[in-house]
Amino acid sequence: MSVKKSGFFCFFCGKHCSLIAHVEDGKVTRVTKDKESGILSDICPDAKGPVTIPGVYHHPDRLKYPLKRKGKKGGGQWERISWDEALGSIVEKFQSCKEEFGPESIAMVLGEPKGLDFAFGQRLATVLGTPNVITPGCYCGVQTAAANQFTHGSMMVNADYDTQKTGCMVIWGNNPRHIGGTFNGMMPTEIDERLKNGCKLIVIDPGTIDYASKADLWIKPKPAMDGLLALGMIKVVIEEGLYDKEFVARWTVGFEELKTHVATFLLEDIERETWVPRDQIIEAARMIARHTPCIIGTGNALEGTIAALQTCRAVFILNGLTGSVGVPGGLIVKTQNKFHRPGKFYFPKGFPRQKENSIANDFVLAIGSAYVPTQTLVNTILTDKPYSIKAGLFSVTNPLCTYPDAKATYDALMKLEFMAVAEIFHTPTTAIADIVLPAALPGEHATIAYWPAWTGQVKCDPKFIDPPGEAWPDMKIFNELAKRLGFGEYFFEDTDEKMLDFWLKPSGITFEEFKTKRILYPDHAYLKGNEDKFFQTPSGKMEIFSAQMEQLGISPLPYFEELIKPKQVAAPSADYPLIFTNRKETGFMLSGYRSDPAMRKRYPEPLVEIHPDTAREAGIEEGDRVYIEAAKGRIVQKAQLNSNLDRRVIMPAFGWWFPEAPEATQYGWRKSNLNVLTNGYPEELSTGAVQLRGIPCRIYKADDAPL
Ligand code: SF4
């Protein structure tokens, strides 16, 4: 039997490594690293893509046919139905909701984009007339993108390709070896090259990441207090005169306001609130400012607090003060690729989104970025305020495990009159659906991947096997629904390769040609030679003080009072003396793919990392079952001792549920799911960010709780 090889991109994390699928007799027998094309393939140590993808493609538990609930909601009884019946039921419900309660009573609930699915879901919502598109933007990506936009005038601020000239790197709240690169696209290969060239490295993380052992300085701040740490370093850089004076004078606005503000607090205040010794704050600030250009690569950990936006702003301002923006070896701005802009596709001509009708009307940046924070959906369903949400279409998303306050999410989704969920496997969320639709993966259909959008790369994912049973690509589901709802003229006849040509038109190539080219890279610019257009801010400069933010009612500077808010909403007490932070295990993608036997063998159970002294005090030993209790509830995970942790911090694993548990328990989502312990309130008032880390808790042995 001949083996056909096909290049594609891993869909398990934001790195999107270039991989090769080995296809034999219509089956993917192996997935290997792409060593030939020259496209970056920075595979993680767990080799999540190569290990998991073959098993996922051909897993016997893949959803293969549309299903309709039999019996009570969440009861685990299903009946196979045709696509015609499934789509007909959704259309009938949506039309009756629209007539009776208005289109805004329908929610479009989207997960992490893989191909063009996200853009199709947004467009369907727009033509349908509902502004209520719910995405995880409120705790992933939006704060970084918005802070970059306000500070630099572009969300596409990335590490330069030139690895020779960088003087210092900071890896902050991210584990780039395992899960994506940093938000500014600093990939492990490039980090390694820079280290070989003598570049300094600072790691800022309460947990043990791979690069910590290579760091010149490893700082372990109190979870959720990163913004204050950045502000402390800014104070040192300014007061010791270490900033790039020429850059600051010529290319920034608001420096004097910042200088005045940092004089209002002491480094001892920062030390007390962040747990980082004063000397370490000074050492880090000096290293960053003296070894330029410096690239501070942040990760998702900085976004899981109610000070997320201001934290990102503080970090970017710190980076900018060193004169590292727009120079070789520092941060550059990438320009939009020649590709039909997904954001434009969301809004067909003549269909403005009815923002004023959105349940997220209060969140000025969420509205601007076309999403509703997840907890806003939950709260609206539970309270029927400002109006009732009656029905939802969910696309490859698992809110029961990924939204804050899992119990409230469960109550809300149980209350929802109608839920249609498109998924790869059954999940806790499909278990309480009315209709389940089988979704196809990239490789089972041709698509184009453009996410994360801020890297500006556009990637070709050709089809190389058939989907299982009757599974459809999500974009086809949206497309067919649009046609049945009477909006066919704004969509496509089919979501085939001809449709993909439309997306590539601005680049002048067809999808057929794209299969050989495989990737489109964006252009990039340095400040020199682009002085008139580098900073696309209102002032044409890097905005330390943002008048734009002020006009929107958002603090124009990352003040101390803003950055200390995470502590004010979650202070430890006698009942809850420890603090947990939020750990994404390296073997999985968020809450997904726990059905895969290969990776499950390596990571069979959720692990909570605990300092040995803290464990001893609680009578806990390595491998014991441990209850983790917070004000919101209690879960159980297995103890893994880690002497590198601060004694006051524990690190439970995120996203756990158990595909092997009975469906009538919704696959055991209550047992170990970290979001049982988080809360949907309070929220950061522009993006809807909530506190997902730095939450007080206690631990004790769980002898009575088998996993
Ligand atoms: S999960 Fe691993 S293999 Fe897949 S893109 Fe991420 S780093 Fe690469």
Side-chain angles (χ1 to χ4, degrees), residues 115-345:
L116 297 169
D117 39 309
F118 192 90
F120 272 79
Q122 285 275 9
R123 189 171 174 99
L124 177 58
T126 309
V127 296
L128 199 52
T130 176
N132 295 323
V133 179
I134 291 81
T135 81
C138 55
Y139 31 79
C140 187
V142 166
Q143 290 79 16
T144 302
N148 261 323
Q149 191 72 43
F150 286 126
T151 312
H152 303 113
S154 168
M155 68 169 186
M156 298 173 73
V157 179
N158 281 232
D160 190 11
Y161 300 112
D162 182 342
T163 56
Q164 302 286 319
K165 298 190 181 72
T166 312
C168 180
M169 290 176 287
V170 183
I171 300 174
W172 199 330
N174 181 271
N175 196 354
R177 186 79 79 197
H178 289 272
I179 302 171
T182 60
F183 269 131
N184 53 20
M186 203 161 55
M187 297 293 174
T189 305
E190 293 153 343
I191 294 171
D192 294 342
E193 274 175 30
R194 288 185 168 98
L195 286 175
K196 258 189 240 151
N197 295 332
C199 180
K200 297 279 181 198
L201 176 65
I202 300 174
V203 165
I204 304 179
D205 205 302
T208 312
I209 68 160
D210 284 38
Y211 280 107
S213 61
K214 295 194 169 150
D216 296 280
L217 188 58
W218 178 11
I219 296 176
K220 300 175 197 172
K222 180 179 175 185
M225 303 312 289
D226 306 81
L228 271 189
L229 177 59
L231 194 64
M233 288 194 240
I234 289 173
K235 180 178 173 72
V236 175
V237 168
I238 291 179
E239 292 180 354
E240 292 194 1
L242 300 172
Y243 57 95
D244 183 326
K245 296 177 187 65
E246 205 183 315
F247 176 82
V248 166
R250 171 75 183 85
W251 287 111
T252 67
V253 290
F255 178 74
E256 287 306 320
E257 286 90 336
L258 181 64
K259 189 176 171 188
T260 303
H261 178 64
V262 297
T264 62
F265 58 85
L266 302 172
L267 268 194
E268 285 69 16
D269 298 327
I270 302 291
E271 179 176 27
R272 183 185 65 246
E273 302 302 343
T274 63
W275 299 348
V276 180
R278 186 179 184 279
D279 289 350
Q280 223 178 39
I281 300 169
I282 295 170
E283 188 185 352
R286 288 177 182 165
M287 200 180 287
I288 286 169
R290 286 178 179 156
H291 299 273
T292 57
C294 169
I295 299 174
I296 304 181
T298 58
N300 183 235
L302 271 57
E303 298 182 318
T305 81
I306 59 157
L309 176 66
Q310 298 296 349
T311 295
C312 294
R313 280 267 294 152
V315 171
F316 299 162
I317 290 168
L318 170 64
N319 208 155
L321 289 176
T322 64
S324 302
V325 180
V327 297
L331 292 170
I332 54 169
V333 171
K334 290 189 178 161
T335 46
Q336 293 286 350
N337 218 313
K338 292 190 180 70
F339 176 63
H340 191 89
R341 278 184 49 214
K344 215 169 147 197
F345 186 74

Side-chain angles (χ1 to χ4, degrees), residues 10 35 77 134 158 196 232 243 252 308 339 374 384 400 422 442 455 458 478 492 525 556 562 584-585 595 618:
C10 179
K35 294 180 184 158
Q77 301 287 312
I134 291 81
N158 281 232
K196 258 189 240 151
Y243 57 95
T252 67
F339 176 63
T374 56
D384 293 309
L400 276 192
T455 68
V458 177
F478 292 125
F492 299 89
E562 293 288 330
K584 315 259 168 34
E585 276 172 315
S595 309

Side-chain angles (χ1 to χ4, degrees), residues 9-19 41-50 53 176-180 586 588-589:
F9 293 92
C10 179
F11 40 86
F12 280 178
C13 88
K15 258 194 259 173
H16 300 297
C17 296
S18 180
L19 300 175
S41 190
D42 225 337
I43 291 185
C44 45
D46 281 312
K48 272 200 289 293
I53 288 174
R177 186 79 79 197
H178 289 272
I179 302 171
T586 56
F588 301 105
M589 184 198 179

